Amino acid sequence: MAEQKDDVPFYQKPEWADVVPIPQDDGPNPLVPIAYTQEYSTTMGYFRAMCRAQEKSERALDLTKIVIELIPSHFTVWYYRQQLLKELNKDLKTELEWIEWMVEEHPKSYQIWHHRQVIVGRIAQSLFPSTTTTSSSTPSTAQSAEAAFVFDDLSESQKTTVQDLVKSELEFIAEALKDDTKNYHAWSYRQWVLAHFGQGPWWTGELAYTEELLEKDMRNNSAWNQRYFVVTNGFGGLTEEDVQREVQFAKSRIEKTPSNESPWVYLTGILRKGNHSVTEIKEFCEGLLSVPRANFSPFVHATLLDIYEVEAKEQRSAASVEKAKEEAIMLAEKVDSIRSKYWNWRKTQLLKIDVAA
Amino acid sequence: MSALNEETTVVDASAPELLLDQHVKYIQALDTKKNDLEYWLTEHLRVNGLYWGSTALHILGHPDALDQEQIVEYLVKCQHDNGGFGGHIDHDPHILSTLSAVQILITYDRLDAIQVDKVVDYIASLQNEDGSFSGDSWGETDTRFIFCAINCLSLLKKLDDKRLDLQKTIDYVVRCRNFDGGFGSSPGGESHAAQVYVCVGTLTILGALHHVDADQLGWWLSERQLKNGGLNGRPEKLEDVCYSWWVLSSLSMLNRSHWIDAPKLIRFILEAQDTETGGIADRPGNMPDVFHTVFGIAGLSLLGYPGLVAVDPVYCMPRHVIQRIGLVEKH
Ligand SMILES: [Zn+2]
């Protein structure tokens, strides 16, 4: 950034001459005396002076940038910057460009992501000041059920504006996810963007996006989680048609990577959410047993154990108990012995099932 | 006298030894590393660091290895007029450092040094309309902050404060539960072992653990153990010593810690020790830090490693301290 590349440090420039930096107070007998580097301690001294005076000026705004670039995890400075941006009525689009640069440098700093959310919340509010938005007072509640707008109630031009904003945010996040597909902060923010602007057409695009990510890496658990978020929140809830489609989707991925935990959890999760019984995938699971790679997947056997256990309870079937027991033994002794205590416990639970004589 | 672990686990004879004395020296020496860049970059975490260091020392059976008077004096300076504690002197208050400060003071039995009612005022001021808690007056929410608030109020015996709506807090945490049985940082957020710990911990303290499907979540947590014995935080992520704590303590609160392979996990943690400097790293071969040191040691204690002081799975403090303040019946 410009400030840092200058040869002269900011505090030697004339516009800072009147500020008296406040040194760190470590107390008289500090347990943790801190030997700061010179640049850091001087910068922080000026920052403390600005904070204490609550100065609302361009130079204070410049200083927040210097401090943030030096130490992005210092949460106070972000808050100060947000106040300054408001008081000085700064262009928020410019702020977004700077955040983009910061995210590239510090993708795991949650303060940066939160700052993005605050700024985009403000932009959203400024677009339609008459609309009551949830963004102003508590910008942070990530997936607050209430969206800022009812998308369908907007005029055509308003819809276009909102769509453009959402699109650019989703593209920005996708860019960050390219470097780290499991960045937790990026995903949290993504869910906030999707939900904050209501039920717009971007939800359809999001389903395609998760598919695209899973095409690249079927083991991306974050993408599976996002897919669940989309199908259960995006289109007014999970329909029977959704269940059928998603079951097929998960099955086809399981066939490719049978020992991948994520699609299994997704598959059973969708069935449960759609009020379907896990026994509906019995044939699918049994079929996998004859596939050489799949028959060693703990998840095939674990799901079969669940299925036979349900059958045993529902039909009071001794044969199903036997089959379930075989799966538990298989898991405990062969395919998942690290969790043998868990599987042995499951086996003992089977003994409690009341079967027909 | 601190209670040592009652049930001791059989430790694999070929596993490395616990370098107890070296860890004590490592933690004592942390304050002398002021020329490290890392040291001032983590200034805002100084109070958290003190909690990690002093808790590790207590579990190692060396409660007096740091100067208690100096620590108390320092913490008093970190408390603000609004009752919250900053991460260091002159830093703005935050729920994370507030919990750490209270934990340290209770461990040293020095709550008398601060204004407890003001801490409660501060925490009560952070509760949001939806029942969640913000981390600071800036407003960011995360299930971590909910746990910090509830944990802290519970330690201070102030959960009955009339300004709080704990039913809403429970409802919010339950909304963060996912289809895999785990919990995320917000409703819809991906399950993550550290978020599971804070949500299960909150529900345990609030007596609302019945909202959890313990068998389903217990299995998901057990699935976090990898072939080398280490635990990861999410599917397909790398194993990491700090998850020894997040996963294991959660399993412990669910009464299912016996579902994983304890000897293998003990070995994994011990292999992450730095044999030269002391301290524990995130995984074998990496640089140690105080964060992974405390959670590695706390994990070993929870696993019943011989010679360590028993740790409480909810509060991550010595169990005898939690007993002293009369909170053990809670879980
Ligand atoms: Zn870690």
Side-chain angles (χ1 to χ4, degrees):
Chain A
M1 299 309 288
E3 291 84 348
Q4 286 180 333
K5 280 176 192 144
D6 280 356
D7 288 343
V8 185
F10 75 91
Y11 42 83
Q12 286 172 16
K13 291 179 184 172
E15 63 262 38
W16 287 93
D18 62 309
V19 181
V20 182
I22 301 172
Q24 169 75 40
D25 169 22
D26 277 337
N29 193 8
L31 172 81
V32 279
I34 294 164
Y36 304 95
T37 70
Q38 187 57 39
E39 191 205 355
Y40 174 77
S41 76
T42 309
T43 304
M44 292 311 284
Y46 280 90
F47 175 64
R48 274 186 288 273
M50 290 287 108
C51 270
R52 194 155 300 176
Q54 279 297 298
E55 185 175 303
K56 301 283 166 11
S57 65
E58 288 290 337
R59 70 176 180 186
L61 187 67
D62 289 344
L63 182 59
T64 59
K65 200 181 245 186
I66 293 169
V67 173
I68 286 170
E69 287 172 13
L70 205 55
I71 175 165
S73 53
H74 195 301
F75 64 89
T76 308
V77 63
W78 290 99
Y79 183 52
Y80 188 30
R81 184 170 178 84
Q82 286 165 13
Q83 289 176 304
L84 289 166
L85 289 167
K86 192 181 252 175
E87 303 258 348
L88 303 172
N89 207 12
K90 302 303 283 186
D91 174 35
L92 297 179
K93 289 274 164 69
T94 315
E95 186 68 4
L96 291 184
E97 283 165 25
W98 175 66
I99 299 172
E100 203 160 328
W101 179 82
M102 282 298 289
V103 163
E104 276 172 39
E105 297 293 309
H106 306 277
K108 295 213 167 171
S109 159
Y110 72 92
Q111 280 88 2
I112 297 172
W113 287 100
H114 183 64
H115 186 62
R116 183 88 183 187
Q117 187 177 315
V118 170
I119 300 302
V120 169
R122 282 185 191 174
I123 292 174
Q125 199 183 12
S126 69
L127 289 176
F128 316 106
S130 58
T131 329
T132 45
T133 79
T134 53
S135 66
S136 56
S137 53
T138 52
S140 47
T141 307
Q143 284 77 48
S144 72
E146 275 169 276
F149 321 101
V150 177
F151 184 76
D152 284 342
D153 292 352
L154 300 177
S155 72
E156 283 312 307
S157 73
Q158 285 176 324
K159 279 183 181 169
T160 310
T161 312
V162 168
Q163 262 177 278
D164 286 348
L165 178 59
V166 172
K167 185 164 172 274
S168 75
E169 282 315 285
L170 294 180
E171 278 170 4
F172 156 74
I173 302 162
E175 207 49 49
L177 288 171
K178 268 185 193 161
D179 295 328
D180 175 6
T181 55
K182 297 169 184 179
N183 183 327
Y184 204 93
H185 309 303
W187 280 113
S188 294
Y189 177 56
R190 196 172 179 94
Q191 293 191 346
W192 178 84
V193 170
L194 288 165
H196 188 70
F197 294 92
Q199 292 293 332
W202 46 84
W203 285 95
T204 317
E206 192 63 6
L207 196 66
Y209 177 63
T210 62
E211 185 160 351
E212 185 189 312
L213 288 182
L214 291 171
E215 209 56 59
K216 286 187 196 124
D217 176 13
M218 268 183 284
R219 296 180 182 268
N220 183 347
N221 192 61
S222 306
W224 284 104
N225 182 70
Q226 184 73 351
R227 195 168 176 92
Y228 189 89
F229 178 78
V230 173
V231 297
T232 54
N233 288 286
F235 313 95
L238 193 70
T239 63
E240 183 51 33
E241 198 188 323
D242 293 333
V243 174
Q244 295 306 330
R245 185 191 63 235
E246 294 308 304
V247 165
Q248 279 316 313
F249 183 84
K251 280 181 177 174
S252 68
R253 269 59 186 181
I254 287 171
E255 280 165 349
K256 287 181 191 151
T257 53
S259 55
N260 176 9
E261 180 178 353
S262 305
W264 281 105
V265 174
Y266 184 80
L267 174 59
T268 50
I270 288 286
L271 286 172
R272 206 177 312 116
K273 181 81 178 173
N275 291 317
H276 284 255
S277 167
V278 70
T279 55
E280 289 176 29
I281 55 169
K282 181 176 156 183
E283 273 173 41
F284 170 72
C285 294
E286 286 178 339
L288 287 173
L289 289 178
S290 55
V291 179
R293 253 173 342 125
N295 63 3
F296 262 89
S297 157
F299 301 103
V300 176
H301 295 283
T303 312
L304 279 171
L305 168 54
D306 288 344
I307 291 168
Y308 296 141
E309 190 178 30
V310 170
E311 268 186 2
K313 284 179 184 164
E314 282 175 0
Q315 303 166 12
R316 301 181 62 209
S317 153
S320 295
V321 171
E322 264 327 293
K323 282 187 184 169
K325 217 191 272 176
E326 275 171 35
E327 296 301 341
I329 293 169
M330 179 76 171
L331 284 155
E333 292 174 7
K334 292 215 170 73
V335 294
D336 198 34
S337 57
I338 196 164
R339 276 165 284 275
S340 59
K341 289 190 178 147
Y342 169 70
W343 300 118
N344 286 329
W345 173 78
R346 289 289 303 268
K347 200 174 74 186
T348 61
Q349 295 304 102
L350 298 170
L351 302 175
K352 296 179 187 165
I353 298 174
D354 181 27
V355 292
Chain B
M1 179 57 208
S2 346
L4 291 184
N5 274 322
E6 288 152 29
E7 31 174 334
T8 45
T9 301
V10 183
V11 181
D12 197 339
S14 62
E17 259 179 73
L18 175 67
L19 307 170
L20 199 144
D21 293 334
Q22 269 175 274
H23 296 321
V24 173
K25 288 199 189 90
Y26 170 79
I27 294 163
Q28 285 175 316
L30 286 172
D31 274 344
T32 62
K33 299 201 176 127
K34 285 141 210 143
N35 292 322
D36 289 4
L37 188 74
E38 270 311 295
Y39 193 83
W40 57 260
L41 278 178
T42 56
E43 182 185 283
H44 62 290
L45 290 174
R46 199 63 18 97
V47 170
N48 301 72
L50 266 180
Y51 158 71
W52 297 326
S54 69
T55 302
L57 290 168
H58 276 81
I59 300 171
L60 289 166
H62 286 257
D64 301 321
L66 293 179
D67 187 330
Q68 183 185 319
E69 273 316 307
Q70 267 192 342
I71 289 176
V72 173
E73 205 179 298
Y74 168 75
L75 289 177
V76 167
K77 290 203 180 89
C78 293
Q79 191 176 24
H80 288 249
D81 289 340
N82 72 357
F85 285 78
H88 186 49
I89 296 169
D90 258 355
H91 279 235
D92 283 351
H94 196 282
I95 191 78
L96 289 166
S97 33
T98 300
L99 171 64
S100 285
V102 167
Q103 286 175 310
I104 300 166
L105 290 165
I106 288 184
T107 299
Y108 286 127
D109 201 8
R110 285 305 312 276
L111 263 190
D112 60 282
I114 58 153
Q115 291 178 282
V116 168
D117 288 347
K118 286 208 147 195
V119 181
V120 181
D121 293 345
Y122 173 69
I123 298 174
S125 77
L126 295 176
Q127 188 170 30
N128 300 313
E129 196 49 46
D130 60 11
S132 67
F133 285 81
S134 296
D136 54 51
S137 41
W138 179 12
E140 192 181 5
T141 63
D142 182 319
T143 44
R144 282 189 310 153
F145 305 151
I146 297 178
F147 178 63
C148 290
I150 297 301
N151 183 341
C152 200
L153 290 166
S154 153
L155 288 170
L156 297 172
K157 313 282 185 67
K158 300 285 184 188
L159 278 173
D160 56 356
D161 191 284
K162 292 283 173 287
R163 290 165 291 185
L164 304 165
D165 188 335
L166 298 181
Q167 188 53 50
K168 274 191 175 176
T169 302
I170 294 171
D171 294 345
Y172 184 88
V173 171
V174 170
R175 279 175 56 210
C176 296
R177 195 181 55 197
N178 289 317
F179 59 97
D180 53 19
F183 290 84
S185 66
S186 55
E190 186 183 358
S191 292
H192 184 294
Q195 308 292 348
V196 169
Y197 165 72
V198 297
C199 290
V200 171
T202 301
L203 295 177
T204 300
I205 293 172
L206 295 179
L209 208 52
H210 57 275
H211 288 291
V212 174
D213 182 337
D215 291 338
Q216 189 197 10
L217 178 52
W219 185 47
W220 186 85
L221 288 164
S222 305
E223 280 295 322
R224 308 281 56 81
Q225 189 165 34
L226 304 177
K227 289 229 158 59
N228 65 3
L231 303 166
N232 64 13
R234 296 185 258 168
E236 299 295 326
K237 295 285 278 185
L238 284 176
E239 67 283 359
D240 182 329
V241 161
C242 63
Y243 293 106
S244 311
W245 178 258
W246 317 124
V247 174
L248 199 60
S249 56
S250 304
L251 281 170
S252 178
M253 287 183 256
L254 300 170
N255 283 320
R256 279 154 179 80
S257 54
H258 55 281
W259 280 1
I260 59 165
D261 190 324
K264 276 198 170 163
L265 178 56
I266 289 176
R267 169 190 280 273
F268 173 78
I269 299 171
L270 292 173
E271 281 173 351
Q273 298 178 108
D274 191 313
T275 52
E276 281 165 31
T277 61
I280 301 177
D282 57 355
R283 65 187 66 92
N286 286 355
M287 289 280 284
D289 59 71
V290 65
F291 177 82
H292 289 94
T293 303
V294 67
F295 292 120
I297 289 168
L300 288 174
S301 168
L302 214 49
L303 287 161
Y305 192 90
L308 292 176
V309 172
V311 67
D312 185 273
V314 183
Y315 297 94
C316 197
M317 287 161 65
R319 194 152 178 89
H320 64 90
V321 172
I322 299 303
Q323 268 159 352
R324 162 167 46 80
I325 61 172
L327 283 179
V328 160
E329 302 315 316
K330 282 257 180 196
H331 51 270

